[in-house]
């Protein structure tokens, strides 16, 4: 399958301009660019969390679960003493 020729790209561009209007296209491009930027930022944060988890013994969810269990144990023991 061959890639689209220059005429096909021009027709696609003309259809986009007719559908959205010339004033709306920069807004759409800006929204698309910010969406890509946010996606890359989220991917980078996810990778940083992965490297931090590799350094820890337990993933953060397991740490939170362990802390919650410890708090529940403290609550039940304090209720039994009263």
């Amino acid at each position: 399958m061959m890639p689209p020729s220059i005429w096909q790209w021009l027709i696609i561009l003309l259809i986009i301009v007719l559908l959205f209007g010339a004033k709306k296209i920069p807004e759409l491009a800006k929204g698309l660019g910010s969406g890509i930027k946010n996606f890359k930022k989220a991917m980078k944060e996810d990778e940083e969390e992965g490297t931090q988890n590799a350094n820890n013994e337990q993933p953060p969810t397991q740490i939170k679960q362990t802390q919650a269990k410890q708090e529940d144990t403290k609550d039940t023991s304090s209720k039994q003493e009263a």
Side-chain angles (χ1 to χ4, degrees):
M1 185 172 182
M2 294 178 20
S5 69
I6 187 72
W7 291 108
Q8 291 170 333
W9 282 113
L10 290 174
I11 291 172
I12 292 170
L13 181 63
L14 177 67
I15 291 171
I16 290 173
V17 169
L18 289 174
L19 286 175
F20 296 106
K23 293 181 181 179
K24 197 76 169 172
I25 292 175
E27 294 175 17
L28 292 172
K30 182 180 178 182
L32 181 64
S34 66
I36 292 171
K37 182 180 177 181
N38 289 336
F39 178 75
K40 287 182 179 180
K41 181 180 175 183
M43 291 295 292
K44 184 177 179 181
E45 290 175 356
D46 190 39
E47 288 176 1
E48 289 175 358
E49 284 182 11
T51 57
Q52 289 177 355
N53 288 344
N55 296 335
N56 292 338
E57 293 177 5
Q58 297 176 335
T61 54
Q62 289 181 348
I63 293 172
K64 289 179 183 177
Q65 290 172 351
T66 305
Q67 291 173 348
K69 288 179 183 178
Q70 290 173 352
E71 289 176 3
D72 289 342
T73 306
K74 290 178 185 176
D75 289 343
T76 54
S77 64
S78 64
K79 289 179 181 176
Q80 289 174 353
E81 292 175 2

